[in-house]
Coordinates of all heavy atoms in Angstrom, one line a residue:
H216 N 20.9 23.2 1.5 CA 21.4 22.9 2.9 C 22.2 24.1 3.3 O 22.0 24.6 4.5 CB 22.2 21.7 2.9 CG 21.4 20.4 2.9 ND1 21.9 19.2 2.8 CD2 20.0 20.3 2.9 CE1 20.9 18.3 2.8 NE2 19.8 18.9 2.9
L219 N 19.9 27.1 4.0 CA 19.2 27.0 5.3 C 20.0 27.2 6.5 O 19.6 27.7 7.5 CB 18.5 25.6 5.3 CG 17.4 25.3 4.4 CD1 17.0 23.8 4.4 CD2 16.2 26.2 4.7
D220 N 21.3 26.8 6.4 CA 22.2 26.9 7.6 C 22.6 28.4 7.8 O 23.1 28.7 8.9 CB 23.5 26.1 7.4 CG 23.2 24.6 7.6 OD1 22.1 24.3 8.2 OD2 24.0 23.7 7.2
T221 N 22.5 29.2 6.8 CA 23.0 30.6 6.9 C 21.9 31.6 6.9 O 22.2 32.8 6.8 CB 23.9 30.9 5.7 OG1 23.3 30.6 4.4 CG2 25.2 30.0 5.7
I222 N 20.6 31.2 6.9 CA 19.5 32.2 6.9 C 19.5 32.8 8.3 O 19.4 32.1 9.3 CB 18.2 31.5 6.7 CG1 18.1 31.1 5.2 CG2 17.0 32.4 7.0 CD1 16.8 30.4 4.9
F224 N 18.2 34.9 11.6 CA 16.9 34.8 12.3 C 15.9 35.8 11.7 O 14.7 35.5 11.6 CB 17.0 35.1 13.8 CG 17.8 34.1 14.5 CD1 19.0 34.3 15.1 CD2 17.3 32.8 14.7 CE1 19.8 33.4 15.8 CE2 18.0 31.8 15.4 CZ 19.2 32.1 15.9
Y334 N 17.3 28.1 22.2 CA 17.6 27.5 21.0 C 19.1 27.3 20.8 O 19.6 26.3 20.3 CB 17.0 28.3 19.8 CG 17.1 27.7 18.5 CD1 16.2 26.9 17.9 CD2 18.3 28.0 17.7 CE1 16.3 26.3 16.6 CE2 18.5 27.4 16.4 CZ 17.5 26.6 15.9 OH 17.6 26.1 14.7
A335 N 19.9 28.4 21.1 CA 21.3 28.4 20.9 C 22.0 27.4 21.8 O 22.9 26.7 21.5 CB 21.9 29.8 21.2
R336 N 21.5 27.3 23.1 CA 22.0 26.3 24.0 C 21.8 24.9 23.5 O 22.6 24.0 23.6 CB 21.4 26.5 25.4 CG 21.9 27.7 26.1 CD 21.1 27.9 27.4 NE 21.6 29.0 28.2 CZ 21.0 29.5 29.2 NH1 19.9 29.0 29.7 NH2 21.5 30.6 29.9
R337 N 20.6 24.7 22.9 CA 20.3 23.3 22.5 C 21.0 22.9 21.2 O 21.5 21.8 21.1 CB 18.8 23.2 22.4 CG 18.3 21.8 21.9 CD 18.6 20.8 23.0 NE 18.2 19.4 22.6 CZ 18.9 18.6 21.9 NH1 20.1 19.0 21.5 NH2 18.4 17.4 21.6
Y338 N 21.0 23.8 20.3 CA 21.5 23.5 19.0 C 22.8 24.2 18.6 O 23.3 24.1 17.5 CB 20.5 23.8 17.9 CG 19.3 22.9 18.0 CD1 18.1 23.4 18.4 CD2 19.3 21.6 17.6 CE1 17.0 22.6 18.5 CE2 18.2 20.8 17.7 CZ 17.0 21.3 18.2 OH 15.9 20.5 18.2
G339 N 23.4 25.0 19.5 CA 24.6 25.7 19.2 C 25.7 24.9 18.7 O 26.4 25.3 17.7
S340 N 26.0 23.8 19.3 CA 27.1 22.9 18.9 C 26.8 22.3 17.5 O 27.8 21.8 16.9 CB 27.3 21.8 19.9 OG 26.2 21.0 20.1
Q341 N 25.6 22.2 17.1 CA 25.3 21.6 15.8 C 25.2 22.6 14.6 O 25.6 22.4 13.5 CB 24.0 20.8 15.9 CG 24.0 19.8 17.0 CD 22.6 19.1 17.1 OE1 21.8 19.1 16.2 NE2 22.4 18.5 18.3
V342 N 24.6 23.8 14.9 CA 24.3 24.7 13.9 C 25.4 25.7 13.7 O 25.9 26.0 12.6 CB 23.0 25.5 14.2 CG1 22.7 26.5 13.1 CG2 21.8 24.5 14.3
Y343 N 25.9 26.2 14.8 CA 26.9 27.3 14.7 C 28.3 26.7 14.7 O 29.1 26.8 15.7 CB 26.7 28.3 15.9 CG 25.4 28.9 16.0 CD1 24.4 28.4 16.9 CD2 25.0 29.9 15.2 CE1 23.2 28.9 17.0 CE2 23.8 30.5 15.2 CZ 22.8 30.0 16.1 OH 21.6 30.5 16.2
K344 N 28.7 26.2 13.6 CA 30.0 25.6 13.5 C 30.5 25.8 12.0 O 29.6 26.0 11.1 CB 30.0 24.1 13.9 CG 29.1 23.2 13.0 CD 29.2 21.8 13.5 CE 28.3 20.9 12.6 NZ 28.3 19.5 13.0
G345 N 31.8 25.7 11.8 CA 32.3 25.8 10.5 C 32.3 27.3 10.1 O 32.2 28.2 10.9
T346 N 32.6 27.5 8.8 CA 32.7 28.9 8.3 C 31.5 29.4 7.6 O 31.5 30.5 7.0 CB 33.9 28.9 7.3 OG1 33.7 28.0 6.3 CG2 35.2 28.5 8.1
R347 N 30.5 28.5 7.5 CA 29.3 28.9 6.7 C 28.5 30.0 7.5 O 27.8 30.8 6.8 CB 28.4 27.7 6.4 CG 29.1 26.8 5.5 CD 28.2 25.6 5.1 NE 27.8 24.8 6.3 CZ 27.1 23.7 6.2 NH1 26.6 23.3 5.1 NH2 26.8 23.0 7.3
R348 N 28.5 30.0 8.8 CA 27.8 31.1 9.6 C 28.6 32.4 9.5 O 29.9 32.4 9.6 CB 27.6 30.6 11.0 CG 26.4 29.8 11.2 CD 25.2 30.6 11.2 NE 24.0 29.8 11.3 CZ 22.7 30.2 11.3 NH1 22.5 31.5 11.1 NH2 21.7 29.4 11.4
S349 N 27.9 33.4 9.4 CA 28.6 34.7 9.5 C 29.1 35.0 10.9 O 28.6 34.4 11.9 CB 27.6 35.8 9.1 OG 26.6 35.9 10.0
E352 N 26.5 36.4 13.3 CA 25.5 35.4 13.8 C 26.2 34.6 14.9 O 25.5 34.3 15.9 CB 25.0 34.5 12.6 CG 24.1 35.2 11.7 CD 22.8 35.6 12.4 OE1 22.2 34.7 13.1 OE2 22.3 36.7 12.2
L353 N 27.4 34.2 14.7 CA 28.1 33.4 15.7 C 28.3 34.2 17.0 O 28.1 33.7 18.1 CB 29.5 32.9 15.2 CG 30.3 32.0 16.1 CD1 29.4 30.7 16.4 CD2 31.6 31.6 15.5
A356 N 25.0 34.3 18.7 CA 24.7 33.0 19.4 C 25.5 32.9 20.7 O 24.9 32.4 21.7 CB 25.1 31.8 18.5

Side-chain angles (χ1 to χ4, degrees):
H216 283 174
L219 287 173
D220 286 344
T221 56
I222 290 180
F224 293 112
Y334 184 93
R336 287 173 179 172
R337 179 66 180 85
Y338 292 107
S340 60
Q341 302 177 23
V342 179
Y343 302 101
K344 62 182 180 180
T346 58
R347 291 184 297 183
R348 276 285 176 180
S349 64
E352 287 294 316
L353 185 57

